[in-house]
């Protein structure tokens, strides 16, 4: 059961919380195929590091499925961590999911985070 309207079902989603996005996929709120990218404020070096951090907390309901999802997202380049290369690139968000990159960028501009918005505009998948 997806929590978004019919007209958005064919659009790829942008996630902003690695822990919560994977948890939503486990819960069936979104399909992994719905994910364009997850732009996280994290600093992980590997999928294994992510799994180790979240498996017993955020993903405890189905840690094995979460691990598989995390590995797929990592291996397909869908986990983007701007803070790895620029600590000022941290985004400020009020939601976990956005229907497109432009709405995420707009949220940064609205929050006065022009630097983060500029960095988001430069993402490869945009």
């Amino acid at each position: 059961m997806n929590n978004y309207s019919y007209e958005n079902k064919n659009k790829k989603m942008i996630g902003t919380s690695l822990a919560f996005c994977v948890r939503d996929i486990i819960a069936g709120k979104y399909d992994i195929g719905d994910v364009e990218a997850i732009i996280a404020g994290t600093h992980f070096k590997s999928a294994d590091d992510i799994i180790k951090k979240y498996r017993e907390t955020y993903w405890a309901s189905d840690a094995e499925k979460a691990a598989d999802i995390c590995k797929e997202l990592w291996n397909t380049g869908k986990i983007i961590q701007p803070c790895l290369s620029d600590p000022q690139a941290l985004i400020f968000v009020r939601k976990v999911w956005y229907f497109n990159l432009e709405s995420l960028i707009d949220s940064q501009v609205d929050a006065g985070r022009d630097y983060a918005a500029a960095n988001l505009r430069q993402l490869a998948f945009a």
Side-chain angles (χ1 to χ4, degrees):
M1 176 166 127
N2 291 329
N3 63 353
Y4 54 105
S5 63
Y6 178 77
E7 62 269 13
N8 290 311
K9 284 190 177 182
N10 294 324
K11 295 182 181 179
K12 297 288 187 172
M13 303 297 291
I14 306 292
T16 59
S17 167
L18 184 51
F20 292 152
C21 289
V22 171
R23 188 171 71 180
D24 284 351
I25 295 167
I26 293 168
K29 293 180 181 180
Y30 296 93
D31 184 88
I32 194 167
D34 296 336
V35 179
E36 177 81 20
I38 296 174
I39 304 169
T42 55
H43 298 86
F44 292 110
K45 302 289 187 203
S46 71
D48 289 336
D49 291 344
I50 298 167
I51 294 162
K52 192 179 302 181
K53 174 77 174 179
Y54 296 137
R55 76 177 299 123
E56 300 301 323
T57 54
Y58 295 104
W59 304 343
S61 66
D62 194 340
E64 291 308 312
K65 183 175 180 182
D68 291 342
I69 290 166
C70 181
K71 287 175 186 175
E72 182 175 342
L73 291 167
W74 182 271
N75 291 335
T76 56
K78 292 186 176 184
I79 297 174
I80 299 170
Q81 302 177 92
C83 293
L84 280 175
S85 59
D86 183 355
Q88 294 181 16
L90 184 64
I91 58 175
F92 173 81
V93 294
R94 297 196 192 291
K95 301 186 318 183
V96 174
W97 293 100
Y98 289 82
F99 289 119
N100 56 50
L101 185 60
E102 276 308 310
S103 63
L104 176 55
I105 291 170
D106 289 346
S107 77
Q108 298 307 289
V109 172
D110 292 346
R113 307 264 311 149
D114 294 331
Y115 186 81
N119 283 333
L120 288 168
R121 287 187 184 97
Q122 296 177 22
L123 293 175
F125 69 89

